[in-house]
Amino acid sequence: MLMVLRMVTLLLLFNLPLAHAAQYVSRELSAPQTASAHSEKSINELEKEVAELKDAYARASTERFLARFYLQQGQEGDLQKAIKYYQQALTDTEGEEGLSRFAKQETVTELATIYFFQKNYTEYLHALEQLIDFGGQLDLQLQIKQAVAFYHLGKKQAALKNTHQVYQSLKKQAQTPDKSTLQQLLFLFFHLQSYQRAADVQQQLLSLEHDDINQWRRLAQIYIKAGKNDRAAESLLLAYKKGLVLSIEDLMLLCDLLALAKNPFAAATYLQEFMQKGLLSSSVIRFEKLFNYWFKAGEIDKAIAALNQAAELKPDVERFLNLAELHRQQGQWKFMQNAVLKACSKDLADEFVSRANVLLGISELKQGNKASARQAFINATFVLIS
């Protein structure tokens, strides 16, 4: 069972098709290419004898076999042995050539994979240079990992250049890249602060999983980082209209983004809709937010209604006085008077007494109650003087 698990690890690390890997195992592990006499020898015996092999190709092939064997063991110490044998297999003896150029390309690619797995990015980049020296080419996956290596080594310009090159190459392909490739590109573009490209990649991921709310959230967050609040709001709004379930945080963020995008009317409309549908519970904080949205949208009557609901849920002196001010703007004198009287029914702090009397006086005067207005103004002046 342990050997099966190790074999799976090897397949994942090298990304080899299962059938190809099985052929390799049956050919290499049971009978190394060096000589049939080695087929019955233990690993320890091979390690002792490899240095004594005179034929350069036989020695390099055996070293590569040992490297692959230790790679399959999967432990850190075994990986270090694998690296040692890979390096030896790639080193030609003076005047003799061991592995062919093609075999060297394959071998150094395997070595590079170990370095990347270990996050040894400097050696990974060096291995890629060797691959090119051996006449090999970097496929798109190696190029993406090269960009990741540059990023982790702080070479962000080189990382961004590489990532753009990979992205342009992928755009020329007829089909959409697989999810894993897109996720790697997204990581690079986002952390390299190329947010528009990150959004483009996220759109492709969204096309693969358009019913996943997390993909829509991620797109919105990218647009927020890019300073495009309107596009971020649009992303969450599209998800909502598709019938996806948005969290309370998503719904509140959507409203705030609409307001930040200078569309307070839409922010108020959707916040009110969310509360009416029960997607958001009614609360003082949300009614006050609704009030602010309607007020910024110039919808004063709707702002008054929202603030009045907040005041009903949690009666508050300042809230009632603010209501009175709004009624004053609208010329609604009786409503203004009622709001002030509700404020006065509470224990007025000294800071509110003068303001309350002034507002009460205005409301009384506008309704023709001159005596009551005069008394309210006197009270306000007395408070100011005292």
Side-chain angles (χ1 to χ4, degrees):
M1 181 64 182
L2 182 58
M3 181 56 75
V4 171
L5 291 175
R6 288 168 176 168
M7 186 61 219
V8 171
T9 301
L10 176 65
L11 296 180
L12 292 175
L13 197 57
F14 285 166
N15 197 25
L16 294 174
L18 185 59
H20 177 81
Q23 293 170 9
Y24 166 74
V25 171
S26 64
R27 183 176 69 251
E28 289 282 357
L29 286 185
S30 61
Q33 296 176 1
T34 53
S36 60
H38 288 160
S39 60
E40 301 299 328
K41 292 182 178 178
S42 70
I43 293 299
N44 287 336
E45 289 175 319
L46 282 177
E47 287 188 284
K48 291 176 182 177
E49 294 179 4
V50 65
E52 300 174 3
L53 292 173
K54 303 301 182 183
D55 181 76
Y57 176 75
R59 183 171 58 254
S61 295
T62 304
E63 288 165 341
R64 186 168 72 159
F65 166 76
L66 289 169
R68 287 173 168 173
F69 171 82
Y70 280 114
L71 176 61
Q72 290 182 64
Q73 309 313 300
Q75 301 300 317
E76 182 59 33
D78 295 319
L79 287 179
Q80 292 306 120
K81 287 184 178 180
I83 290 172
K84 181 187 75 171
Y85 282 118
Y86 271 125
Q87 291 173 337
Q88 290 177 4
L90 290 167
T91 304
D92 291 329
T93 305
E94 186 175 350
E96 295 182 282
E97 184 176 359
L99 299 176
S100 67
R101 290 176 67 83
F102 177 80
K104 286 180 179 177
Q105 292 170 23
E106 187 179 63
T107 302
V108 77
T109 300
E110 294 172 10
L111 176 59
T113 305
I114 299 176
Y115 285 138
F116 191 86
F117 175 78
Q118 292 182 321
K119 300 182 180 181
N120 188 343
Y121 299 116
T122 299
E123 289 302 324
Y124 175 78
L125 293 175
H126 177 64
L128 296 189
E129 291 175 0
Q130 286 184 290
L131 174 59
I132 294 171
D133 289 341
F134 295 145
Q137 293 184 337
L138 306 186
D139 61 26
L140 289 178
Q141 285 302 317
L142 289 176
Q143 290 178 56
I144 291 174
K145 289 181 172 64
Q146 183 182 43
V148 173
F150 280 135
Y151 168 76
H152 285 295
L153 291 173
K155 300 177 180 180
K156 294 187 177 181
Q157 287 299 319
L160 187 58
K161 180 180 177 181
N162 268 44
T163 310
H164 276 297
Q165 288 174 346
V166 172
Y167 180 73
Q168 292 303 324
S169 296
L170 289 170
K171 282 183 67 176
K172 296 176 183 178
Q173 297 181 2
Q175 62 185 32
T176 302
D178 61 82
K179 181 179 177 181
S180 176
T181 299
L182 290 172
Q183 287 174 329
Q184 292 178 81
L185 288 173
L186 176 62
F187 170 87
L188 286 162
F189 279 132
F190 184 82
H191 288 282
L192 292 168
Q193 299 180 359
S194 181
Y195 296 122
Q196 185 53 56
R197 280 283 179 261
D200 293 341
V201 173
Q202 181 58 32
Q203 289 279 11
Q204 294 184 64
L205 280 165
L206 196 54
S207 70
L208 299 176
E209 299 178 335
H210 54 86
D211 288 330
D212 184 349
I213 185 59
N214 289 319
Q215 298 291 5
W216 292 94
R217 286 189 185 116
R218 193 172 295 118
L219 182 60
Q221 291 298 329
I222 292 169
Y223 280 130
I224 290 171
K225 292 291 286 186
K228 296 183 177 181
N229 294 320
D230 54 338
R231 297 298 301 276
E234 179 184 312
S235 301
L236 291 176
L237 191 55
L238 283 172
Y240 171 66
K241 290 182 176 180
K242 278 177 62 68
L244 300 181
V245 178
L246 276 68
S247 67
I248 292 173
E249 292 76 14
D250 293 331
L251 296 172
M252 293 305 299
L253 176 60
L254 169 56
C255 295
D256 286 339
L257 287 169
L258 287 168
L260 289 170
K262 300 181 180 179
N263 194 350
F265 185 89
T269 300
Y270 280 108
L271 178 55
Q272 188 163 290
E273 178 180 321
F274 297 154
M275 287 195 288
Q276 288 174 344
K277 287 184 174 181
L279 299 175
L280 291 175
S281 61
S282 299
S283 67
V284 173
I285 292 175
R286 288 183 185 135
F287 276 123
E288 287 190 331
K289 188 178 282 286
L290 183 61
F291 155 73
N292 285 322
Y293 290 156
W294 284 130
F295 187 81
K296 289 178 182 177
E299 299 285 341
I300 304 303
D301 286 339
K302 292 179 178 179
I304 289 173
L307 189 57
N308 194 54
Q309 286 174 299
E312 288 179 4
L313 287 175
K314 187 176 181 181
D316 176 84
V317 170
E318 187 172 14
R319 199 169 285 121
F320 282 125
L321 293 180
N322 289 338
L323 263 175
E325 293 278 10
L326 289 171
H327 287 306
R328 177 187 178 186
Q329 292 180 31
Q330 298 300 95
Q332 299 168 338
W333 310 116
K334 185 62 177 177
F335 288 117
M336 178 182 178
Q337 180 188 36
N338 289 339
V340 176
L341 291 176
K342 286 181 179 179
C344 293
S345 68
K346 306 293 178 184
D347 292 330
L348 284 179
D350 291 344
E351 60 183 303
F352 296 123
V353 173
S354 178
R355 181 187 174 193
N357 277 288
V358 169
L359 291 171
L360 181 61
I362 294 172
S363 68
E364 295 283 8
L365 183 63
K366 291 296 183 179
Q367 294 179 83
N369 303 323
K370 294 183 180 179
S372 297
R374 182 172 179 273
Q375 185 58 53
F377 289 139
I378 289 173
N379 290 342
T381 304
F382 176 76
V383 171
L384 289 173
I385 293 173
S386 62

